[in-house]
């Protein structure tokens, strides 16, 4: 005896088969996000050639993605390809002018790529433009760090001073970064002053307390100094 399905059941099976075929087709179609994530995993695992391959695929599929450009730039840097890194990161910067934290991440990495290509003059111009654009403490800190790396002590000091002037009331980082800079150039009095300001902003900050102790200052209310600002 031949068994046949009722017409309604057969129709349902056809619909199910079509749906399964659609799902299978979609499963085999990688999106740009999937490619980028595969590249990120390869980058994390140290397989930079694979990371570059997957991120280039993701970039071809969706060239306007900030994260893809960022991780592609990072991969090129890890592969010793600063020119390609700079190109990717400059594209990323145009895509994320005001979006944090990606703007800062891109600027940090772009600065490394430009430095590796001996473009320090252009690098300073870029970082100054970032400061002029936002007036934010984080951008002054970045400028100060790079001026210090280039041996421009006076310019670095001015940048760190300005960072502390525009810092938020609860932002300890500019004072801490200023203290680290002053310690590196042997200006102990300036370092301790910056640490005292930082201790006022955040009395529970462990690194600030540890650095104060290294300078013979016992953390506590007596070690804190309220920051003075001209703004």
């Amino acid at each position: 005896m031949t068994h046949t399905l009722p017409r309604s059941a057969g129709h349902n099976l056809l619909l199910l088969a079509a749906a399964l075929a659609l799902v299978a087709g979609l499963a085999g179609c990688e999106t740009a996000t999937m490619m980028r994530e595969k590249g990120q995993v390869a980058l994390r695992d140290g397989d930079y050639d694979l990371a570059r391959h997957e991120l280039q695929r993701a970039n071809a599929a969706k060239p306007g993605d900030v994260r893809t450009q960022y991780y592609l730039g990072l991969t090129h840097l890890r592969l010793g390809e600063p020119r390609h890194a700079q190109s990717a990161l400059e594209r990323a910067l145009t895509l994320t002018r005001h979006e944090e934290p990606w703007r800062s991440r891109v600027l940090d990495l772009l600065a490394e790529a430009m430095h590796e290509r001996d473009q320090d003059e252009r690098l300073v111009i870029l970082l100054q433009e970032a400061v002029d654009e936002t007036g934010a403490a984080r951008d002054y800190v970045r400028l100060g760090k790079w001026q210090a790396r280039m041996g421009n002590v006076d310019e670095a000091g001015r940048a760190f001073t300005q960072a502390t002037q525009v810092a938020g009331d609860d932002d300890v980082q500019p004072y801490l970064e200023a203290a680290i800079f002053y310690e590196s150039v042997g200006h102990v009095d300036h370092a301790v002053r910056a640490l005292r300001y930082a201790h006022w902003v955040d009395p529970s900050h462990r690194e600030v307390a540890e650095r104060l102790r290294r300078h013979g200052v016992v953390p506590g209310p007596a070690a804190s100094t309220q920051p003075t600002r001209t703004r």
Side-chain angles (χ1 to χ4, degrees):
M1 181 183 295
T2 302
H3 296 278
T4 60
L5 289 170
R7 180 175 297 180
S8 61
H11 179 68
N12 289 340
L13 283 175
L14 286 173
L15 288 176
L16 178 60
L20 290 174
L22 177 61
V23 170
L26 290 175
C29 180
E30 283 187 291
T31 65
T33 298
M34 293 166 63
M35 297 173 196
R36 170 173 56 78
E37 290 176 348
K38 287 174 68 175
Q40 288 177 241
V41 170
L43 178 61
R44 181 196 64 198
D45 293 343
D47 191 342
Y48 303 135
D49 289 325
L50 177 59
R52 178 176 54 191
H53 172 71
E54 294 296 342
L55 290 165
Q56 285 175 336
R57 291 177 63 220
N59 184 46
K62 188 179 179 182
D65 184 67
V66 172
R67 297 188 182 195
T68 298
Q69 300 290 352
Y70 172 83
Y71 287 112
L72 185 57
L74 178 56
T75 300
H76 282 306
L77 275 179
R78 296 281 174 84
L79 285 167
E81 300 169 344
R83 182 173 65 85
H84 295 303
Q86 182 176 344
S87 179
L89 293 163
E90 286 175 342
R91 288 194 298 271
L93 189 61
T94 64
L95 295 169
T96 182
R97 272 293 176 183
H98 301 289
E99 181 187 348
E100 293 291 352
W102 284 103
R103 174 183 173 276
S104 290
R105 291 175 182 173
V106 170
L107 276 170
D108 288 339
L109 209 58
L110 178 54
E112 293 288 349
M114 295 176 73
H115 181 64
E116 287 195 19
R117 298 191 67 201
D118 297 321
Q119 295 183 356
D120 286 352
E121 289 187 10
R122 287 187 60 195
L123 170 55
V124 170
I125 292 172
L126 172 72
L127 299 184
Q128 185 62 56
E129 287 176 347
V131 163
D132 295 341
E133 184 179 86
T134 68
R138 63 177 173 271
D139 290 321
Y140 278 109
V141 166
R142 182 185 301 107
L143 177 60
K145 284 183 171 181
W146 275 101
Q147 291 282 25
R149 282 182 65 171
M150 297 173 193
N152 304 325
V153 175
D154 292 341
E155 291 83 351
R158 285 194 290 269
F160 283 116
T161 296
Q162 193 59 35
T164 61
Q165 290 295 308
V166 301
D169 292 337
D170 60 349
D171 188 1
V172 70
Q173 202 62 32
Y175 301 102
L176 178 57
E177 296 289 356
I180 293 171
F181 162 69
Y182 287 126
E183 288 174 345
S184 72
V185 295
H187 293 175
V188 175
D189 291 345
H190 288 73
V192 171
R193 185 185 306 121
L195 289 169
R196 288 184 182 276
Y197 291 153
H199 196 47
W200 172 280
V201 173
D202 186 357
S204 65
H205 198 287
R206 291 186 177 181
E207 184 176 355
V208 171
E210 290 172 1
R211 288 181 179 276
L212 281 170
R213 290 190 185 96
R214 293 177 200 168
H215 293 292
V217 180
V218 179
S224 300
T225 301
Q226 185 174 6
T228 55
R229 296 170 181 157
T230 58
R231 60 184 172 94

